[in-house]
Amino acid sequence: MRLVIDLQGAQGDNHARGIGRYSRELAHAMAAAPRRHQVHILLNAALPTATLRATFAETLPDRAVHLWHSPGATAWHSAPDPARRRAAEALRAEAVAALRPDLLHVSSLFEGWVDDAITAWPSWCTRPPTVATGYDLIPLIRRADYLDSAWKQAGITPWYLHCLHQLRLADGALAISQSSRDELLRHLALPPDRVWPIMAGIGPEFRPPNLTAQATAAQATTGLNARLGLRDGYVLFLGGGDIRKNEPGLIQAWALLPAALRARHQLVIVRRGDPAPLRHAAHAAGLPETDLHLIDFVADQDLPALYASCALFVLPSLHEGFGLPAAEAMACGVPAIASNTTSLPEVIGRPDALFDPHDPAAIAARIREVLENPALRAALAAHAPVQAARFNWPDVAARAWDALETLHADHAPWTPGWRPRLACVAPLPPQPSGIADYTADLLPDLARHYDITLVADIAHTTAESLAGIFPLIPPARFLEVADSFDRVLYQVGNSPFHATAIEDLLPQAAGVVTLHDTFLSNATSWIAHHRPDGARPDGARTFTEALFRAHGWPAVLHEHRHGHLAALRDYPCSLRVLQDALGVIQHSHHAQGLVAAHYGPALADPIRIIPHLRHPLEAPDRATARRHLGIPEGQLLVCSFGYLAPAKLPDILLAAWHQAALPTSIPAGARLAFVGPTDPNPGPLREAAALATGHVDTETYRAWLVAADIAVQLRRDSRGETSGAMLDAMAAGCALIANAHGAAAELPPDAVHLLPETPTAAQLATALRALADPATRHAQATRARAHIARHHAPRHIAAAYRDAIEAAYAEGPAASRHRATASLARALPPDTEDSLLTDCARALAATFPAAGPPTMLIDATDLPPEATPLIAALLATHPPDLRVDLVEWRGTWHHARTRAVALLGLPTPPAPDTQADPAGTTLLVPLRPDGTCPLPPARLPPTTRIVLLATTPHLKPEPWMPGRITHICGPVPAHILPTIPRLPPDAATLLAALFTPRTAMRRAAE
């Protein structure tokens, strides 16, 4: 393996801190024991290099240490032109490519705030297999102390989130502790098999002293202790001026100690920065200022002696990635105590040396116990070097090499190049849309495969996973530059947020569509009422016209008879989007089945099914969540999440709740809660509304998920959507009960308690009683969480998106039509005449016809009255995956919708009598009463299938008929044209004979 280590973590602002020391020591240990691998060091020439060159001089040849040069002035702190950073990223990427690495290790990604370090990989370049050191996610996890407060005010937050995005894109991470690994898995959704806890090492200079009594006395008099003003028996803490270091908590704890004990032991705090906050904390705790000894700086070479001379080392941090000062102190043979949080229990290795850092009294009690108990202090001192010996750099390097070898074995050789440019058209936060949130969750991982640009009709997004990471352009600008993108992805749902994408962008810039809702009727209705038709002088349009174009005459009749709301409920109106898309992604086979039912297999079969993604739930622990919500521990909590509506079947849940009688059968009781908003006038849902929480914010919603034992998510009248609440409950480890309706029917039965599609209260009550058993509930919830992690993780979903997008652009008629369109654009000059453009468009449509329901046209040019009942029935009752319409010959073929509304008893035509094209359709031609055919065959293209409709047994055959006629419907004797099949004049039988075989074959295959 050829490993390139980017060592900027040891060059920049962090070089003298823990990150710099860790980066330097790990790289040196790996280079010293390379296992026959090649190690190369890459340094930034804009940062100090001399010390590092000297460090590696005896380990690596000079040719293995490389420099790259930046244009300079790239630090985020000084707000440079972002173009400078992009240029520096490009130069660094090419410098890496020139080294031909099999693997790139970035020692620290969180660099470049105050210096000219550049660790981001350019979005437009293919990324080499990359592993990063993962130290901690403290600012993200404790964001109230960092990202949402001081860091936000200082402008640091965007920089941190940008670095975090780079960590998310890494192929693997080397975690400095098990706690750090857990953070990366929980908060960044990194794959568990790609995050390795390699721990940290302690330098050989940290070891117990071997000094005579005289030397010790001399050191106290003239050495470090005298120089720093230290007294024998001091208690030491190495801070850092960071809120998580909990220095005020330590000072409060010290103030709680007996005065005599404080007099014997000096509290020494080493930290850089303004000492005023610590002096203020001492004053607030009633601690004399003389009891606090502050040291601003200690050189690295003095640290071993500083540790070795103290009586006790204390690390009261609220959060640590590793806790190196405690490990170094222990390596020097010093008794050490620390917080019982995050990584510190791993470092200390003894429960009796831990305390709760949030409780000053607990800190004080542990300090006093050690200082006043010589036996305990001796035991801790004896334990310290043994425990510290577990943390050595050769072992850390060996674990790192094990991880890198595993990662290298799973990656093909890297080829430098450019990644495809992808435009993602979608609503974005803060737009109040679930699809906006979905997009913010998807794109950070999809960025592993594409150079992404956002397209939205907002100026800025509040999504931290998107803002400042991906460029954002408005729809009008996108249309101007659409040809510059290699791929386009649309996120489409059933709301006005998608009107611009549906109406303006998708018809002109085809792409792959994620159809979150099979039904787009509400969005279509909004467009009809709010967006004028630019092709018409008056701009007028109606929902009825859109309904007709998507579903034909039966839908128009349905709206006429049952009203607008019924049409919105029963017809999806998504045909236009399905036909404009190069490819379609849906989240369930149920949603795909709705497409098949309404539009036929030609549109449904190519759809790719990609499960709805779910990030790991970032929520409080169960005990904290229950305290926050006022839920007693031990009480069984059953929740139903989402808007309280009849479609969620709350009446069945309430009836089951009463039947199950859980509050009386469980010692600690049971509670039912509907978590979500309700109608101000709940009507028949009044009893359920009394148990509802009302609207809850995201944090409270997550608390309810974690606090709940059982989630009951029932549903009817699904229109192709996927329930996010169901997936959230599974991800939270909550036992889920659902009915097998819609997408829920596809959930794994071992991970979800599935009831029949139409459940009874008795069935639900039985399920509730079964899951009231903790063991049963825990087993199901464990399987549910494993299913979400395996099938819904963002990285897995992003890879499935890449496969679907690439297939859509490479395969099938839509891809061929897209490429042919692009080829025509290259072939034709800008000043091409309109007539040629029209001819080319017709030829393109004929060569690559858009998929859709088969069409039967009825020739109404010379319509006999006897045929009108059958024709009216054909128009009114054709199946959803077929279209029937009237046409007339007027020198060319035209639709005859004015005549159709007269046959159907409708007030007005839903669409104008525009020109019609019978190519590729079935044309039903009624014979005249005398048996003659009014149709000259020259009027029809050869791809038109002709069916004759006779109302009398008289047929005057013509020479062209045997070669063109496929069926005869009506009372024509068989001997007149014996080779042509006969059909009875019945609408259902006629349509079944002509069009059902394809549907029947599809259903049989399913």
Side-chain angles (χ1 to χ4, degrees):
M1 180 200 319
R2 187 178 175 91
L3 175 67
V4 172
I5 302 177
D6 180 319
L7 209 49
Q8 290 179 94
Q11 285 189 272
D13 186 58
N14 280 323
H15 77 280
R17 300 190 179 97
I19 288 177
R21 290 163 61 194
Y22 188 101
S23 300
R24 183 172 59 252
E25 295 290 352
L26 175 59
H28 189 269
M30 294 178 71
R35 293 187 180 180
R36 300 183 304 279
H37 301 302
Q38 297 181 45
V39 176
H40 291 259
I41 303 297
L42 182 64
L43 301 176
N44 185 341
L47 302 172
T49 63
T51 301
L52 286 173
R53 281 184 171 276
T55 298
F56 288 93
E58 296 182 3
T59 308
L60 292 174
D62 188 62
R63 65 178 181 275
V65 179
H66 310 269
L67 296 180
W68 70 276
H69 295 263
S70 164
T74 61
W76 282 68
H77 176 70
S78 54
D81 179 0
R84 280 186 169 269
R85 284 199 297 273
R86 290 196 298 271
E89 290 172 10
L91 289 168
R92 171 178 173 267
E94 291 306 321
V96 170
L99 297 178
R100 297 174 289 107
D102 295 308
L103 198 61
L104 172 66
H105 173 220
V106 183
S107 61
S108 173
L109 282 167
F110 293 84
E111 305 293 331
W113 169 245
V114 296
D115 55 43
D116 287 340
I118 292 289
T119 60
W121 194 262
S123 62
W124 58 90
C125 294
T126 58
R127 182 182 298 267
T130 302
V131 65
T133 301
Y135 296 95
D136 59 67
L137 296 177
I138 293 171
L140 179 67
I141 297 170
R142 305 183 63 84
R143 59 177 305 141
D145 295 331
Y146 298 91
L147 301 185
D148 295 338
S149 55
W151 281 25
K152 185 175 183 179
Q153 295 170 7
I156 304 175
T157 297
W159 163 82
Y160 179 84
L161 295 173
H162 191 271
C163 296
L164 197 68
H165 175 67
Q166 296 296 316
L167 180 56
R168 183 183 284 113
L169 293 179
D171 297 285
L174 305 178
I176 65 172
S177 65
Q178 183 62 49
S179 172
S180 176
R181 177 181 186 269
D182 293 342
E183 292 175 8
L184 294 171
L185 297 181
R186 181 178 182 185
H187 296 278
L188 295 189
L190 300 182
D193 62 346
R194 288 295 176 265
V195 184
W196 297 271
I198 65 169
M199 310 308 287
I202 304 169
E205 66 273 20
F206 296 99
R207 59 187 182 276
N210 185 17
L211 303 175
T212 64
Q214 292 82 2
T216 302
Q219 182 189 45
T221 305
T222 62
L224 180 70
N225 290 7
R227 197 155 31 91
L228 296 179
L230 305 176
R231 302 199 314 260
D232 285 346
Y234 60 85
V235 174
L236 178 64
F237 167 58
L238 263 66
D242 193 327
I243 190 171
R244 68 182 171 90
K245 294 294 186 178
N246 196 27
E247 292 155 324
L250 175 60
I251 291 172
Q252 292 175 44
W254 192 258
L256 296 175
L257 294 174
L261 188 64
R262 297 201 312 267
R264 289 195 301 271
H265 298 279
Q266 182 186 33
L267 176 60
V268 177
I269 296 179
V270 180
R271 53 102 76 177
R272 290 184 177 182
D274 183 5
L278 298 191
R279 301 193 188 283
H280 176 76
H283 178 76
L287 188 69
E289 192 170 307
T290 54
D291 282 13
L292 192 63
H293 188 65
L294 302 180
I295 299 176
D296 181 64
F297 173 75
V298 175
D300 284 352
Q301 62 267 25
D302 290 333
L303 280 176
L306 180 69
Y307 286 130
S309 299
C310 74
L312 175 65
F313 183 85
V314 184
L315 188 56
S317 297
L318 303 175
H319 199 136
E320 289 284 350
F322 180 78
L324 190 60
E328 290 175 341
M330 294 170 71
C332 294
V334 172
I337 60 175
S339 303
N340 60 3
T341 60
T342 60
S343 62
L344 293 175
E346 301 175 55
V347 174
I348 298 297
R350 282 185 63 135
D352 60 351
L354 302 175
F355 50 76
D356 180 358
H358 300 92
D359 183 359
I363 303 174
R366 188 65 78 193
I367 293 174
R368 183 175 183 181
E369 181 183 19
V370 176
L371 293 179
E372 293 184 341
N373 186 339
L376 176 60
R377 188 161 71 251
L380 292 178
H383 163 78
V386 176
Q387 172 70 5
R390 297 177 57 236
F391 310 119
N392 62 84
W393 286 114
D395 286 351
V396 174
R399 286 189 286 268
W401 277 123
D402 289 343
L404 299 187
E405 287 169 353
T406 300
L407 190 64
H408 176 240
D410 294 341
H411 277 78
W414 172 53
T415 301
W418 290 1
R419 292 189 293 170
R421 294 192 68 202
L422 180 141
C424 181
V425 182
L428 303 174
Q431 293 174 304
S433 163
I435 295 175
D437 297 332
Y438 175 93
T439 303
D441 287 340
L442 170 68
L443 293 192
D445 282 282
L446 192 61
R448 298 174 58 81
H449 311 289
Y450 297 103
D451 179 14
I452 297 175
T453 295
L454 308 175
V455 181
D457 51 9
I458 58 174
H460 306 283
T461 176
T462 57
E464 291 182 342
S465 60
L466 306 177
I469 297 172
F470 304 107
L472 172 60
I473 61 175
R477 176 60 180 161
F478 166 66
L479 286 179
E480 294 174 0
V481 298
D483 290 343
S484 67
F485 290 99
D486 304 294
R487 306 287 185 262
V488 183
L489 175 65
Y490 293 87
Q491 301 288 336
V492 173
N494 191 22
S495 76
F497 289 116
H498 308 277
T500 298
I502 295 171
E503 186 73 6
D504 302 331
L505 306 187
L506 184 58
Q508 298 187 61
V512 176
V513 172
T514 303
L515 194 59
H516 290 268
D517 305 293
T518 302
F519 278 67
L520 300 181
S521 48
N522 295 85
T524 303
S525 178
W526 188 93
I527 291 170
H529 289 93
H530 295 86
R531 298 288 299 272
D533 186 350
R536 297 182 179 179
D538 59 358
R541 72 167 85 200
T542 65
F543 172 72
T544 303
E545 179 176 356
L547 183 68
F548 170 73
R549 297 193 184 282
H551 297 282
W553 292 104
V556 177
L557 282 168
H558 188 77
E559 183 189 36
H560 178 67
R561 293 167 181 168
H562 303 289
H564 179 64
L565 294 179
L568 289 178
R569 181 191 64 223
D570 297 331
Y571 290 94
C573 296
S574 48
L575 178 62
R576 179 181 177 184
V577 169
L578 291 165
Q579 290 182 319
D580 285 343
L582 288 181
V584 176
I585 294 168
Q586 290 187 292
H587 299 312
S588 70
H589 292 284
H590 165 69
Q592 183 186 29
L594 289 175
V595 173
H598 285 279
Y599 302 118
L603 284 169
D605 291 349
I607 290 174
R608 291 282 189 118
I609 305 301
I610 298 179
H612 206 289
L613 67 80
R614 266 303 174 269
H615 270 284
L617 189 70
E618 296 182 19
D621 62 81
R622 176 183 170 86
T624 302
R626 286 204 160 210
R627 284 197 302 270
H628 173 68
L629 299 171
I631 309 295
E633 193 57 44
Q635 184 183 70
L636 182 73
L637 178 60
V638 179
C639 294
S640 179
F641 295 93
Y643 192 92
L644 183 64
K648 305 290 183 64
L649 306 181
D651 52 337
I652 293 178
L653 175 53
L654 280 169
W657 180 255
H658 296 313
Q659 289 184 31
L662 296 178
T664 59
S665 61
I666 295 175
R671 174 181 172 182
L672 173 64
F674 292 88
V675 182
T678 64
D679 192 298
N681 299 303
L685 303 182
R686 188 173 294 106
E687 183 182 358
L691 302 175
T693 63
H695 174 77
V696 296
D697 58 28
T698 300
E699 182 179 353
T700 306
Y701 168 70
R702 290 172 176 169
W704 278 103
L705 282 168
V706 172
D709 296 295
I710 303 172
V712 181
Q713 300 298 128
L714 306 180
R715 192 64 192 262
R716 61 175 170 83
D717 300 330
S718 171
R719 305 207 301 172
E721 69 284 345
T722 298
S723 170
M726 288 187 187
L727 301 180
D728 285 338
M730 295 171 70
C734 182
L736 173 64
I737 301 173
N739 58 320
H741 174 72
E746 300 168 32
L747 293 173
D750 65 332
V752 177
H753 195 117
L754 278 177
L755 301 175
E757 183 170 15
T758 307
T760 65
Q763 291 168 330
L764 178 54
T766 299
L768 288 170
R769 285 192 291 266
L771 290 177
D773 172 59
T776 302
R777 192 167 65 241
H778 176 73
Q780 178 182 304
T782 299
R783 292 189 293 269
R785 293 187 74 167
H787 173 81
I788 294 296
R790 186 164 53 249
H791 298 287
H792 297 264
R795 185 173 294 206
H796 170 79
I797 298 300
Y801 259 89
R802 174 205 57 204
D803 294 344
I805 292 169
E806 295 309 303
Y809 275 85
E811 306 167 1
S816 297
R817 185 169 60 252
H818 178 70
R819 288 194 298 269
T821 302
S823 186
L824 281 172
R826 287 174 176 265
L828 298 175
D831 56 351
T832 300
E833 295 181 358
D834 289 346
S835 59
L836 177 54
L837 292 174
T838 301
D839 291 342
C840 288
R842 288 174 177 168
L844 181 68
T847 306
F848 304 103
T855 300
M856 184 171 78
L857 300 175
I858 302 173
D859 182 8
T861 308
D862 197 359
L863 195 62
E866 296 82 2
T868 55
L870 174 62
I871 292 172
L874 291 171
L875 291 172
T877 62
H878 66 73
D881 55 354
L882 176 68
R883 298 291 176 266
V884 179
D885 204 1
L886 295 187
V887 293
E888 292 178 330
W889 179 259
R890 305 174 188 170
T892 58
W893 289 103
H894 280 72
H895 293 286
R897 289 156 185 160
T898 303
R899 298 193 65 181
V901 297
L903 288 176
L904 297 173
L906 293 169
T908 56
D913 289 349
T914 53
Q915 191 167 331
D917 183 4
T921 67
T922 296
L923 182 67
L924 183 67
V925 182
L927 298 173
R928 297 187 181 99
D930 62 0
T932 59
C933 180
L935 176 72
R939 293 178 181 174
L940 294 172
T943 56
T944 302
R945 182 169 70 158
I946 303 173
V947 177
L948 295 182
L949 172 61
T951 56
T952 69
H954 307 294
L955 170 62
K956 296 181 179 179
E958 299 188 36
W960 58 268
M961 288 183 175
R964 293 297 311 272
I965 305 298
T966 61
H967 294 79
I968 297 175
C969 177
V972 176
H975 68 274
I976 296 179
L977 288 173
T979 62
I980 301 176
R982 301 306 197 270
L983 297 174
D986 170 76
T989 305
L990 173 62
L991 295 177
L994 293 175
F995 299 102
T996 300
R998 290 174 61 190
T999 304
M1001 285 179 7
R1002 173 176 57 82
R1003 289 175 180 162
E1006 291 174 352

